[in-house]
Amino acid sequence: MSASTAVQSRPGGRSARVRAAVHRAVGELLAEDTSEALTIPIVAARAGVHATTVYRRWGSIGDLLAAVASSRFSGDIVVPDTGSLRGDLEQWAGDVATDLQDPDVLALIRASIGAGGAEGACACSTDRRNQLAAMIEREQARGGTPPDVERATDLLLGPLYYRAIFTSAPGEPAWARGLVADLLP
Amino acid sequence: MSASTAVQSRPGGRSARVRAAVHRAVGELLAEDTSEALTIPIVAARAGVHATTVYRRWGSIGDLLAAVASSRFSGDIVVPDTGSLRGDLEQWAGDVATDLQDPDVLALIRASIGAGGAEGACACSTDRRNQLAAMIEREQARGGTPPDVERATDLLLGPLYYRAIFTSAPGEPAWARGLVADLLP
DNA sequence: AACTAAACGCATCGATCTGTGCGTTCGTGC
DNA sequence: GCACGAACGCACAGATCGATGCGTTTAGTT
């Protein structure tokens, strides 16, 4: 967990290279064919790394996927600062929708949910939820009366992720921006 | 697909028994331990059926999970008829929330998403979406002006499924009923 | 520059999965 | 009741996965 830039006992050159190669291999394989089993030997072969290394560092394919997802979905979207909560949320929702339109991203989320269970699913959404909380807290510090984080999650993250995962047509950014209207009337 | 009560070339006793046993085995294994790999030989052994049979009838674990999910999530919830759209939606949302609180159901959904990709995910939600459409159409036939099915999906199914899958606390039925207030002000 | 230990590569082994061919059982139609 | 064919059980084989022990490379330290 927190495999992005966490301080490890040995963050030096080779370990970082191997990790980058493995992460990239997972992304590439997920982007190609869904029916491929995505096993550790396959990932290792694609990454040009020995399977033993992957087994030892990540253990199972579930943990590896969770690590990749956690790394991929943290810091990929910057929290906007337009001055108003509505503007922030609209831009942010549009950015998230754009991200969820990427088939690779969808494949990563689906695989994380399937292999990592609740833990894998959380790795895909905790950062988004934190971003939402940050925008709402900022509005609160600004003196406004923003909605609850729970409510914002239900009305924004809910539709966004539902459409992405359960339907074949992920939401357009314009549609995502429209979701804010339900939250802030 | 549509393995529930579809007319097959041979729907007789033994085939039906085998299918029921395999479906039950999948449910049991999903309910037990998440870390179990859920492979076809394991399912077959639990069902008291030869693995060859499962390979020949369902092919892959993804197709099997999609079939089980499709069978499990069709007809499990009856569309309520309280007389008003609000009443229907509130009771239905509560029922769906109750269903999603079952860890077995969650495990089945997660596994279907992971192994079956978009197809597997659709198997878990198309019936729910049809139920929603049915209630809205009925309201329309009644002369009312119900919201769009898209909007209802976004505001009801979205939060319900997001909470169930991405958080560790699926929504309470009371909370689910409250979602209707955002849809019908 | 030398030392230390973490991380990796390699060879290998057991376990399990996936798939095939053939004989048998059982449901269906005549 | 009888024949036909579909579905199943069984035995077997190829392939792949998961894991271990040991030697080697390499990053970090003094």
Side-chain angles (χ1 to χ4, degrees), chain B residues 131-152:
Chain B
Q131 294 168 346
L132 205 47
M135 287 184 283
I136 286 177
E137 280 180 18
R138 187 165 56 196
E139 173 72 6
Q140 216 157 14
R142 214 184 271 143
T145 58
D148 201 343
V149 179
E150 301 293 316
R151 222 178 104 80

Side-chain angles (χ1 to χ4, degrees), chain B residues 20-166:
Chain B
V22 170
H23 279 220
R24 180 151 32 93
V26 169
E28 287 178 14
L29 288 171
L30 282 175
E32 287 179 4
D33 196 352
T34 314
S35 69
E36 298 222 357
L38 197 73
T39 63
I40 287 186
I42 292 177
V43 171
R46 170 64 65 103
V49 167
H50 234 77
T52 312
T53 302
V54 181
Y55 278 115
R56 278 201 267 253
R57 281 190 60 159
W58 286 279
S60 71
I61 195 73
D63 294 336
L64 173 57
L65 278 169
V68 172
S70 188
S71 168
R72 167 69 178 80
F73 296 124
S74 72
D76 59 337
I77 289 183
V78 293
V79 180
D81 191 359
T82 64
S84 74
L85 179 63
R86 183 183 299 271
D88 290 351
L89 290 178
E90 283 181 350
Q91 175 163 353
W92 178 81
D95 290 349
V96 173
T98 302
D99 195 39
L100 289 175
Q101 278 184 322
D102 186 354
D104 306 6
V105 170
L106 268 160
L108 178 56
I109 295 176
R110 289 210 178 99
S112 298
I113 291 172
E119 190 180 350
C122 286
C124 300
S125 69
T126 46
D127 199 59
R128 296 287 148 83
R129 196 183 155 84
N130 290 341
Q131 294 168 346
L132 205 47
M135 287 184 283
I136 286 177
E137 280 180 18
R138 187 165 56 196
E139 173 72 6
Q140 216 157 14
R142 214 184 271 143
T145 58
D148 201 343
V149 179
E150 301 293 316
R151 222 178 104 80
T153 306
D154 290 340
L155 268 62
L156 297 183
L157 244 35
L160 277 164
Y161 275 80
Y162 175 84
R163 277 215 177 182
I165 293 179
F166 289 100

Side-chain angles (χ1 to χ4, degrees), chain A residues 19 41 43 49 167:
Chain A
R19 175 163 51 203
V43 171
V49 167
T167 76

